CSV table of all heavy atoms in Angstrom, one decimal:
chain,number,residue,atom,x,y,z
A,90,SER,N,77.5,91.8,94.4
A,90,SER,CA,78.2,90.6,95.0
A,90,SER,C,79.4,90.2,94.2
A,90,SER,O,80.3,89.6,94.8
A,90,SER,CB,77.2,89.4,95.0
A,90,SER,OG,76.8,89.1,93.7
A,91,TRP,N,79.5,90.6,92.9
A,91,TRP,CA,80.7,90.3,92.1
A,91,TRP,C,81.8,91.2,92.6
A,91,TRP,O,81.7,92.5,92.5
A,91,TRP,CB,80.4,90.4,90.6
A,91,TRP,CG,81.7,90.1,89.8
A,91,TRP,CD1,82.6,90.9,89.4
A,91,TRP,CD2,82.1,88.8,89.5
A,91,TRP,NE1,83.6,90.2,88.7
A,91,TRP,CE2,83.3,88.9,88.8
A,91,TRP,CE3,81.5,87.5,89.7
A,91,TRP,CZ2,84.0,87.8,88.3
A,91,TRP,CZ3,82.2,86.4,89.2
A,91,TRP,CH2,83.4,86.5,88.5
A,92,GLU,N,83.0,90.7,93.0
A,92,GLU,CA,84.1,91.4,93.4
A,92,GLU,C,85.4,91.1,92.7
A,92,GLU,O,86.5,91.2,93.2
A,92,GLU,CB,84.3,91.3,95.0
A,92,GLU,CG,83.1,91.8,95.7
A,92,GLU,CD,83.3,91.8,97.2
A,92,GLU,OE1,84.3,91.2,97.7
A,92,GLU,OE2,82.5,92.5,98.0
A,93,GLY,N,85.3,90.6,91.5
A,93,GLY,CA,86.4,90.2,90.7
A,93,GLY,C,86.7,88.7,90.7
A,93,GLY,O,86.1,88.0,91.4
A,94,TRP,N,87.6,88.3,89.8
A,94,TRP,CA,87.9,86.9,89.6
A,94,TRP,C,88.9,86.4,90.7
A,94,TRP,O,89.1,85.1,90.7
A,94,TRP,CB,88.7,86.7,88.2
A,94,TRP,CG,87.9,87.2,87.0
A,94,TRP,CD1,88.2,88.4,86.3
A,94,TRP,CD2,86.9,86.5,86.3
A,94,TRP,NE1,87.3,88.5,85.3
A,94,TRP,CE2,86.5,87.3,85.3
A,94,TRP,CE3,86.2,85.3,86.6
A,94,TRP,CZ2,85.5,87.0,84.4
A,94,TRP,CZ3,85.2,85.0,85.7
A,94,TRP,CH2,84.8,85.8,84.6
A,95,TRP,N,89.5,87.2,91.5
A,95,TRP,CA,90.7,86.8,92.2
A,95,TRP,C,90.5,86.5,93.7
A,95,TRP,O,91.5,86.2,94.4
A,95,TRP,CB,91.7,88.0,92.1
A,95,TRP,CG,91.9,88.4,90.6
A,95,TRP,CD1,92.8,87.7,89.8
A,95,TRP,CD2,91.3,89.4,89.9
A,95,TRP,NE1,92.7,88.4,88.5
A,95,TRP,CE2,91.8,89.4,88.6
A,95,TRP,CE3,90.4,90.4,90.3
A,95,TRP,CZ2,91.4,90.3,87.7
A,95,TRP,CZ3,90.0,91.3,89.3
A,95,TRP,CH2,90.5,91.3,88.0
A,96,GLY,N,89.3,86.4,94.2
A,96,GLY,CA,89.1,86.0,95.6
A,96,GLY,C,89.5,87.2,96.5
A,96,GLY,O,89.4,88.3,96.2
A,97,ASP,N,89.8,86.8,97.7
A,97,ASP,CA,90.0,87.8,98.8
A,97,ASP,C,91.4,88.5,98.7
A,97,ASP,O,91.5,89.6,99.2
A,97,ASP,CB,90.0,87.1,100.2
A,97,ASP,CG,88.6,86.6,100.5
A,97,ASP,OD1,87.6,87.2,100.0
A,97,ASP,OD2,88.4,85.6,101.3
A,98,ASP,N,92.3,87.9,98.0
A,98,ASP,CA,93.7,88.5,97.9
A,98,ASP,C,94.1,88.6,96.4
A,98,ASP,O,94.9,87.7,96.0
A,98,ASP,CB,94.7,87.7,98.7
A,98,ASP,CG,96.0,88.4,98.8
A,98,ASP,OD1,96.2,89.5,98.4
A,98,ASP,OD2,97.0,87.7,99.3
A,99,PRO,N,93.6,89.5,95.7
A,99,PRO,CA,94.0,89.7,94.3
A,99,PRO,C,95.5,89.9,94.2
A,99,PRO,O,96.2,90.4,95.1
A,99,PRO,CB,93.2,90.9,93.8
A,99,PRO,CG,92.1,91.0,94.8
A,99,PRO,CD,92.6,90.6,96.1
A,100,PRO,N,96.1,89.7,93.0
A,100,PRO,CA,97.5,89.7,92.8
A,100,PRO,C,98.1,91.1,92.7
A,100,PRO,O,99.3,91.3,92.6
A,100,PRO,CB,97.8,88.9,91.6
A,100,PRO,CG,96.5,89.1,90.8
A,100,PRO,CD,95.4,89.2,91.8
A,101,TYR,N,97.3,92.2,92.8
A,101,TYR,CA,97.8,93.5,92.4
A,101,TYR,C,98.4,94.2,93.6
A,101,TYR,O,99.5,94.8,93.5
A,101,TYR,CB,96.6,94.3,91.9
A,101,TYR,CG,96.0,93.7,90.7
A,101,TYR,CD1,94.8,93.0,90.8
A,101,TYR,CD2,96.6,93.6,89.5
A,101,TYR,CE1,94.2,92.4,89.7
A,101,TYR,CE2,96.1,93.0,88.4
A,101,TYR,CZ,94.9,92.4,88.5
A,101,TYR,OH,94.3,91.7,87.4
A,102,HIS,N,97.8,94.2,94.8
A,102,HIS,CA,98.4,94.8,96.0
A,102,HIS,C,98.6,96.3,95.8
A,102,HIS,O,99.5,96.9,96.5
A,102,HIS,CB,99.6,94.1,96.4
A,102,HIS,CG,99.4,92.6,96.6
A,102,HIS,ND1,100.4,91.7,96.4
A,102,HIS,CD2,98.3,91.9,96.9
A,102,HIS,CE1,99.9,90.5,96.6
A,102,HIS,NE2,98.6,90.6,96.9
A,103,VAL,N,97.9,97.0,95.0
A,103,VAL,CA,98.0,98.4,94.8
A,103,VAL,C,96.6,98.9,94.4
A,103,VAL,O,95.7,98.0,94.1
A,103,VAL,CB,99.0,98.8,93.6
A,103,VAL,CG1,100.4,98.5,94.0
A,103,VAL,CG2,98.6,98.2,92.3
A,104,PRO,N,96.3,100.2,94.3
A,104,PRO,CA,95.0,100.6,93.8
A,104,PRO,C,94.8,100.2,92.4
A,104,PRO,O,95.7,100.3,91.5
A,104,PRO,CB,95.1,102.1,94.0
A,104,PRO,CG,96.1,102.4,94.9
A,104,PRO,CD,97.1,101.3,94.8
Side-chain angles (χ1 to χ4, degrees):
S90 60
W91 181 265
E92 295 187 347
W94 302 103
W95 305 279
D97 292 332
D98 187 9
Y101 303 105
H102 304 151
V103 295

